[in-house]
Amino acid sequence: MRQVTSFNPPVRTLMGPGPSDVNPRILSAMARPTIGHLDPAFVAMMDEIKLMLQYAFQTKNELTIAVSAPGSAGMETCFVNLIEPGDKVIVCQNGVFGGRMKENVERCGGIAIMVEDNWGEPVDPGKLEDALKAHTDAIIVAFVHAETSTGVVSDAKTLCNIAHKNDCLTIVDAVTSLGGSELLLDDWGIDAVYSGTQKCLSCTPGLSPVSFSEAAVNRIQSRKTRVQSWFLDLNLVMGYWGENAKRAYHHTAPINSLYALHEALVILQEEGLENAWRRHQSNHILLREGLKALGIGFIVEENARLPQLNAVSIPDSVKDEAQIRQTLLNEYGLEIGAGLGNLAGKIWRIGLMGYASNKKNIAHCLRALQDVLN
Ligand SMILES: *Cc1c(COP(=O)(O)O)cnc(C)c1O
């Protein structure tokens, strides 16, 4: 066998759709000694994580925890726990991630009613209203708050309002919004939400913060059928994470990853949630002005743009966009994102997420783009 040596990653600046640059404080928190997942000191730290996640999500929801797996597992947690076979779910799709919601509904034995909008545009509340009129037996409305595939934010408050008026619970993907732009769980009436650690929290990937309202918990507790997934069944997970739980062994928590999340949330608390939102917005404007000078424009109307994910048109002069990204990576250590699905080859996705949303990164990115485009 070849003699393999330690892996030392190259130095990169991560300005794609996630992961984002991880704050060194988080990396050093992760390197602290591993302790037992039932150790009282660890359990006390988990309670602090819950408290800080409630702040980040702006919720009083008791059931606010981190699923021990990436954002996609948080997505599954919401769907497998809330949907039973035969349930009708309205799924609003305006990009890649809404398509994954449909997959989830169908794999749970549910019926997905699709409300489609053009990629690059927000979810249209009028279309949701029409779908709910046509399907009065729907029980859940699901949509993506911040579509990372297109750089679009949808009006979650209005969509949740419409859902509740029609007696539906709401499942919202907030993977990219958490910590990066306004997200008010309780005020907006979000019943089930999932996020990720590697986007605007600038933590290492592999955990998914989730939160469930009382109405969602009631639905889960009054299921007629067992949750199809043993690992993600919240009735079981709560035996470990629950407030008055016995802290029974369910699975071994990813101890050091949770140290990392704890530190990421301490950093967010220090900055202040609203200050973090403001920083993402002002850096977005700085990048926008710099790109304008290079002749690069956005694909999304100004009022629906995500500050943390800038979806921009690739200039006509570029013949091989993959080559440009390759050069940025190899010669400038800079990672930006490619387009997905329908938008592959047409757009770049420049992330300004969490710790990576700073002036130094913007200057580096603009300079590098200017060089390679010449
Ligand atoms: C990144 C992302 C996901 C998936 O998260 P993973 O951690 O990659 O599983 C889901 N939804 C949106 C909107 C995302 O940006």
Side-chain angles (χ1 to χ4, degrees), residues 30-315:
M30 224 180 168
R32 289 171 198 155
T34 303
I35 60 174
H37 65 117
L38 299 173
D39 188 312
F42 187 71
V43 169
M45 189 212 65
M46 287 169 69
D47 285 340
E48 290 183 346
I49 289 179
K50 272 204 222 173
L51 189 72
M52 292 188 288
L53 279 179
Q54 287 170 334
Y55 169 65
F57 276 130
Q58 292 287 288
T59 183
K60 294 197 169 68
N61 289 343
E62 175 60 42
L63 181 43
T64 302
I65 61 170
V67 173
S68 302
S72 304
M75 176 186 267
E76 294 232 17
T77 301
C78 291
F79 286 90
V80 298
N81 281 279
L82 285 169
I83 294 172
E84 293 191 79
D87 285 348
K88 208 179 244 191
V89 180
I90 311 266
V91 175
C92 305
Q93 178 172 16
N94 61 339
V96 167
F97 293 100
R100 292 190 179 180
M101 288 180 152
K102 176 174 191 275
E103 272 285 316
N104 270 268
V105 171
E106 290 172 350
R107 285 172 189 240
C108 294
I111 301 155
I113 306 296
M114 300 305 291
V115 173
E116 314 239 6
D117 277 292
N118 291 333
W119 290 34
E121 290 172 21
V123 173
D124 179 349
K127 285 190 190 170
L128 173 60
E129 272 182 324
D130 291 345
L132 284 163
K133 265 187 210 126
H135 300 275
T136 51
D137 52 344
I139 63 159
I140 290 173
V141 170
F143 63 89
V144 178
H145 180 218
E147 243 306 345
T148 324
S149 64
T150 61
V152 166
V153 65
S154 286
D155 182 352
K157 185 178 187 171
T158 299
L159 296 172
C160 287
N161 225 329
I162 294 168
H164 285 159
K165 275 199 197 119
N166 289 275
D167 298 321
C168 285
L169 294 183
T170 51
I171 297 179
V172 177
D173 178 323
V175 175
T176 284
S177 38
L178 182 66
S181 45
E182 193 183 46
L183 174 64
L184 306 171
L185 242 58
D186 290 356
D187 188 47
W188 294 353
I190 295 175
D191 291 296
V193 70
Y194 57 91
S195 189
T197 44
Q198 77 277 27
K199 312 246 170 153
C200 295
L201 295 181
S202 275
C203 185
T204 47
L207 290 173
S208 177
V210 295
S211 185
F212 295 84
S213 72
E214 217 177 294
V217 172
N218 288 341
R219 170 77 54 82
I220 294 168
Q221 287 173 344
S222 58
R223 288 176 64 101
K224 292 180 203 69
T225 56
R226 278 201 304 188
V227 173
Q228 72 186 56
S229 161
W230 176 85
F231 185 66
L232 301 176
D233 183 344
L234 286 169
N235 292 302
L236 304 178
V237 173
M238 285 313 287
Y240 179 53
W241 271 94
E243 186 80 5
N244 301 309
K246 288 201 291 285
R247 303 285 180 176
Y249 168 62
H250 176 258
H251 64 278
T252 308
I255 318 275
N256 293 56
S257 292
L258 286 165
Y259 296 167
L261 176 58
H262 185 276
E263 189 68 11
L265 292 167
V266 167
I267 292 167
L268 180 63
Q269 189 189 344
E270 283 171 4
E271 180 175 17
L273 192 56
E274 283 168 17
N275 290 334
W277 298 341
R278 271 195 285 272
R279 172 170 53 83
H280 281 88
Q281 182 61 25
S282 61
N283 284 330
H284 155 71
I285 288 168
L286 209 59
L287 178 72
R288 180 192 72 191
E289 293 310 302
L291 288 172
K292 200 197 256 172
L294 297 177
I296 297 176
F298 284 69
I299 65 157
V300 179
E301 290 287 345
E302 193 152 352
N303 59 4
R305 279 178 205 160
L306 282 172
Q308 61 273 54
L309 197 285
N310 298 270
V312 300
S313 306
I314 297 171

